[in-house]
Amino acid sequence: MFYRHLRHLVVFSLIALLAGCAGFGARESVEGHGSPALWSAHKQQLTQLDGWQINGKVGIRAPKDSGSATLFWLQRQDYYDIRLSGPLGRGAARLTGRPGSVLLEVANQGRYEAPTPEELLGEQLGWSLPVSHLVWWVRGLPAPGSKSRVTLNGDSRLANLEQDGWKIEYLSYVEQNG
């Protein structure tokens, strides 16, 4: 009887060990022409960047809804102010906030609040947009906390990123103010 309990304990221990090891798998799969060591150093440098301003145009392709919009994004530490004009034919929208408090203003529709930008955009516009990931993706970084697949270009920067069902393609890089 002692051996049977010991055998069950050994089998249970092996299962627990394998399950524990599965949780330690790589969160980031790196492919492409770049150097993983240079990529790691580049990521550390960009992670420190916590303030920027972007003016440009953004395009979104989805199976049921696609389009483009003019984008203005101001980021200062954990505060953001994102303005879209003409997103997918819906007029102007402004998303402002910080963790735990987000405000959405939609032209001719009103002001709405929620704890997360994803919840707010989902409820008010019917969009499933990973806004919390965008703060990472716009810097050319995968968002922490979920698995990602990155393809590096010859300069060891992101060429392509796949994360949480999204595919992002980085066409070029330009350094601004160091």
Side-chain angles (χ1 to χ4, degrees):
M1 178 142 170
F2 172 73
Y3 291 108
R4 196 165 79 197
H5 287 306
L6 181 61
R7 188 175 63 201
H8 288 256
L9 180 62
V10 169
V11 169
F12 177 75
S13 297
L14 283 173
I15 291 170
L17 178 64
L18 290 173
C21 290
F24 290 112
R27 302 290 290 172
E28 179 180 277
S29 166
V30 180
E31 304 171 355
H33 304 291
S35 158
L38 290 175
W39 165 240
S40 181
H42 182 69
K43 280 194 326 186
Q44 285 183 331
Q45 181 184 11
L46 289 182
T47 299
Q48 304 303 316
L49 182 64
D50 65 357
W52 61 82
Q53 180 175 319
I54 297 173
N55 291 302
K57 194 163 185 141
V58 62
I60 298 172
R61 276 193 316 233
K64 295 182 181 178
D65 207 0
S66 298
S68 64
T70 301
L71 169 72
F72 169 81
W73 182 340
L74 175 69
Q75 183 79 33
R76 296 292 181 256
Q77 289 79 39
D78 65 351
Y79 172 79
Y80 53 88
D81 182 346
I82 302 172
R83 301 173 197 192
L84 296 170
S85 299
L88 304 175
R90 289 192 171 98
R94 181 178 183 191
L95 187 67
T96 56
R98 53 182 25 99
S101 176
V102 183
L103 176 67
L104 174 66
E105 298 173 81
V106 182
N108 303 319
Q109 292 183 23
R111 298 167 50 119
Y112 310 95
E113 293 183 60
T116 69
E118 290 82 5
E119 182 180 331
L120 193 54
L121 291 176
E123 288 175 0
Q124 301 304 322
L125 301 177
W127 293 354
S128 177
L129 188 64
V131 177
S132 298
H133 283 13
L134 292 177
V135 72
W136 297 92
W137 295 350
V138 76
R139 290 180 282 172
L141 298 169
S146 64
K147 290 186 177 185
S148 62
R149 181 178 174 189
V150 303
T151 304
L152 303 180
N153 65 19
D155 293 328
S156 302
R157 295 179 178 169
L158 278 185
N160 294 289
L161 168 64
E162 293 181 35
Q163 190 169 30
D164 293 337
W166 290 83
K167 295 179 183 181
I168 299 95
E169 182 179 358
Y170 296 86
L171 302 176
S172 65
Y173 290 85
V174 176
E175 189 170 319
Q176 297 290 323
N177 303 322

